[in-house]
Amino acid sequence: MKLIKLGGSIITDKKEYRRFNADTVRRLCREIRDSGQDVIIVHGAGSFGHVLAKKYDLNAGNRSREQIPAVAQVCYDVRDLDSMIVKELNESGIPAVSVPPGSCFVMEDRRLIIENDEVLRRFVDLGIMPVMFGDVVLDRKLGFAILSGDQIMERLTDIFDIDQVIFVSDIDGLFDDDPKTNPSARMYGTVDQRTLESVRSDISVDDVTGGVYEKMKAMLRMCSEKRECILVNGNAEGRLLSLLKGEDVICTKATGGII
Ligand code: IP8
């Protein structure tokens, strides 16, 4: 089984609050369907989550009354985004159902706790994809906190037998600098822990959950002898489909895990 994260930068326009990239999502759903692979999808929050989460400092936890309406609004916005994605999945022929993490699970000091995975497993056994996403989640220590889709991915690799983890983003792979502002930035074909240590950790700092650097760290934690983790550009038509079919594509592969 493959685990795919549709990143917030590909499913939304991150510069504009609540701007959904419907055409891209529709195409990616079709590429996944056409691959014929068994897949679970997690998605990011993009401009449906990060804009208000940053403005009200939601990842710091419960600090002031004025955060509370923002928590409710972000919960609403990311569920709205999710329902549009689940709709596209179902319309493309992939039976899918929303499982909002903030309504089903809690966190403890920003770590997602999934004490009971029965619902997730039973949906998968029925051939229905449970779709989880970056959300605001109640936290036993902090009151609430931001749960990134990347962390959900890590938990899911403990629950399901995942042989390939794919992060679909709007860049070709991991670069040694931000390719959007530095045209001479170089892309890595593979990264290991040593590469990561030399990468600028402030790339894509717009994300309250850390951007490319944190993603690459999560990828290194998830890869193993039996499982590869790949970052691929979803704006390049057909690239995700080729990757899922086992073809060579432009991407960054994480190797060697993290110590
Ligand atoms: O886009 C963040 O999830 P991510 C969730 O996967 C919120 O990092 C609500 C900002």
Side-chain angles (χ1 to χ4, degrees):
M1 178 179 274
K2 323 263 177 219
L3 183 59
I4 297 180
K5 180 175 176 200
L6 298 179
S9 59
I10 196 87
I11 58 177
T12 76
D13 180 341
K14 291 189 88 167
K15 291 186 292 297
E16 195 180 331
Y17 176 54
R18 288 182 51 97
R19 166 71 68 187
F20 181 52
N21 289 339
D23 291 346
T24 306
V25 170
R26 189 163 307 139
R27 175 177 53 76
L28 291 171
C29 289
R30 290 181 184 156
E31 290 188 26
I32 291 165
R33 175 200 63 199
D34 292 347
S35 76
Q37 295 286 349
D38 219 0
V39 162
I40 295 186
I41 291 174
V42 170
H43 65 82
S47 60
F48 286 67
H50 287 274
V51 176
L52 290 187
K54 194 173 179 186
K55 183 168 175 195
Y56 291 92
D57 202 14
L58 300 188
N59 203 26
N62 188 5
R63 295 194 163 175
S64 71
R65 289 306 300 168
E66 67 159 11
Q67 289 175 307
I68 301 304
V71 169
Q73 183 66 46
V74 172
C75 286
Y76 173 81
D77 287 343
V78 291
R79 278 155 187 69
D80 210 15
L81 171 65
D82 182 63
S83 69
M84 292 189 268
I85 289 171
V86 168
K87 176 171 177 275
E88 294 299 340
L89 283 166
N90 281 299
E91 283 181 2
S92 69
I94 301 172
V97 65
S98 173
V99 178
S103 309
C104 305
F105 306 111
V106 292
M107 293 207 280
E108 177 122 29
D109 213 7
R110 298 198 177 85
R111 187 181 159 80
L112 175 65
I113 315 281
I114 302 185
E115 270 157 8
N116 186 341
D117 59 19
E118 186 179 348
V119 166
L120 298 172
R121 286 184 189 278
R122 284 189 182 274
F123 272 129
V124 170
D125 289 349
L126 278 177
I128 297 176
M129 183 198 297
V131 181
M132 300 218 279
F133 50 87
D135 200 358
V136 187
V137 175
L138 299 174
D139 188 296
R140 288 172 180 160
K141 283 218 168 89
L142 304 167
F144 56 78
I146 297 295
L147 171 66
S148 143
D150 295 4
Q151 197 190 149
I152 300 171
M153 301 281 281
E154 291 195 63
R155 295 285 88 72
L156 290 181
T157 59
D158 298 333
I159 297 171
F160 297 105
D161 189 14
I162 306 289
D163 59 30
Q164 193 179 40
V165 176
I166 301 172
F167 286 87
V168 182
S169 184
D170 65 340
I171 47 173
D172 283 340
L174 181 76
F175 288 76
D176 62 355
D177 200 354
D178 189 342
K180 290 175 189 158
T181 52
N182 177 1
S184 52
R186 283 178 309 118
M187 197 191 102
Y188 298 103
T190 58
V191 289
D192 57 16
Q193 193 172 349
R194 274 189 46 201
T195 331
L196 184 75
E197 277 155 17
S198 66
V199 167
R200 278 182 45 202
S201 60
D202 60 344
I203 299 174
S204 294
V205 285
D206 260 4
D207 270 18
V208 289
T209 45
V212 174
Y213 179 82
E214 286 304 323
K215 182 175 317 306
M216 204 35 83
K217 242 163 96 178
M219 286 175 69
L220 281 167
R221 283 196 296 270
M222 275 185 272
C223 71
S224 67
E225 304 260 290
K226 302 188 302 203
R227 186 190 304 132
E228 56 176 11
C229 290
I230 298 168
L231 180 62
V232 69
N233 193 341
N235 279 329
E237 269 190 57
R239 200 174 286 177
L240 177 62
L241 173 60
S242 299
L243 178 65
L244 286 167
K245 285 177 18 192
E247 294 163 13
D248 276 340
V249 297
I250 296 167
C251 64
T252 295
K253 288 188 183 179
T255 57
I258 205 157
I259 307 149

